Amino acid sequence: DDFPALLTPSAQGLVRGQDPFASVVASYGGYDGPDDGLSPHLYSDYTTTSTYYFSRLMLLRHFGIEYRLPFYDRALVEYGARIPARLKLEGIERTKRLFRQAMEGVLPNIINHRKDKLGHSVPMKNWLRETGPLWQWVSGQLSPDAVRRRGLFQPAAVQRLIDEHRAKRHNHSHRLWAMAVLEAWLRVHHDGEASVPERQAV
């Protein structure tokens, strides 16, 4: 809700009338399965989030890492999509019910019964509170002078996010990272600056 307050008046004019949720709503188009509270959202994920995983494959391959998604087999995904939602969940937070049952006695209990898995998250909020290379880069992209020159965000509002995040009052890591990446992209593709050179092999 406070996103407009981050923008300068000229930037507000650029996004006025735009619906940021249009693509999310459109991702449910064409769904004709059961309205069970879960399956429509899985359908939306299949039509949107899948590209994220495949893009990550290409990114890792760039660094010489071969990454596989064994459960992203099309036949398996389509089969899983037809399984009723009531069989997939154990309450609200206990997910992967069928997988856990199938792996009972195959995987050690310490793995199959664990409850602290965090998915694909990285500790971005912590990294942006440390004075390391990542924070040095982000702070350079979002320095008051850089923000003022770009003219998209209010320098004082951006600094408030930084101060609140660094003081651990709020977690603004996703916004700070998004703004820093946007600034880096604009420097290369709008300003014509040279891209960041690849790291040389040692």
Side-chain angles (χ1 to χ4, degrees):
D1 292 341
D2 61 345
F3 178 68
L6 280 171
L7 301 176
T8 62
S10 59
Q12 290 184 26
L14 293 174
V15 300
R16 188 171 292 116
Q18 302 296 318
D19 182 2
F21 301 107
S23 60
V24 176
V25 174
S27 70
Y28 290 86
Y31 177 74
D32 59 359
D35 185 13
D36 55 19
L38 176 64
S39 297
H41 307 303
L42 291 176
Y43 175 86
S44 171
D45 284 349
Y46 298 148
T47 59
T48 57
T49 312
S50 297
T51 58
Y52 158 75
Y53 289 103
F54 298 134
S55 296
R56 187 165 61 176
L57 284 175
M58 300 305 295
L59 175 63
L60 291 173
R61 197 166 288 166
H62 175 76
F63 293 101
I65 301 173
E66 285 297 325
Y67 179 81
R68 293 291 182 266
L69 300 166
F71 294 121
Y72 232 114
D73 174 78
R74 177 169 181 167
L76 181 59
V77 169
E78 291 179 346
Y79 176 76
R82 293 193 293 270
I83 298 174
R86 60 184 172 79
L87 299 178
K88 297 177 181 177
L89 296 174
E90 296 176 80
I92 300 298
E93 298 179 355
R94 187 70 168 166
T95 61
K96 303 180 182 175
R97 178 184 183 186
L98 296 176
F99 179 77
R100 294 178 193 277
Q101 289 180 345
M103 292 295 102
E104 195 69 39
V106 178
L107 289 176
N109 288 342
I110 193 172
I111 296 175
N112 202 32
H113 296 175
R114 68 179 297 187
K115 299 180 180 180
D116 61 341
K117 189 172 184 297
L118 298 177
H120 304 289
S121 299
V122 295
M124 181 66 72
K125 66 178 182 181
N126 298 330
W127 292 343
L128 296 186
R129 287 170 177 155
E130 298 171 355
T131 308
L134 183 64
W135 169 245
Q136 296 297 327
W137 180 82
V138 169
S139 62
Q141 302 296 311
L142 300 180
S143 70
D145 286 344
V147 173
R148 192 174 296 107
R149 281 196 305 270
R150 184 62 57 198
L152 294 177
F153 301 108
Q154 301 277 8
V158 173
Q159 190 60 49
R160 175 180 58 81
L161 295 185
I162 292 174
D163 293 342
E164 290 179 352
H165 185 82
R166 300 278 287 176
K168 299 184 179 180
R169 292 197 298 271
H170 293 283
N171 177 11
H172 295 306
S173 58
H174 289 83
R175 284 188 171 181
L176 294 174
W177 179 250
M179 289 189 292
V181 171
L182 174 62
E183 172 61 21
W185 187 91
L186 288 170
R187 289 184 185 184
V188 174
H189 298 283
H190 182 270
D191 304 342
E193 292 186 10
S195 59
V196 177
E198 296 184 15
R199 293 183 62 180
Q200 299 296 318
V202 178

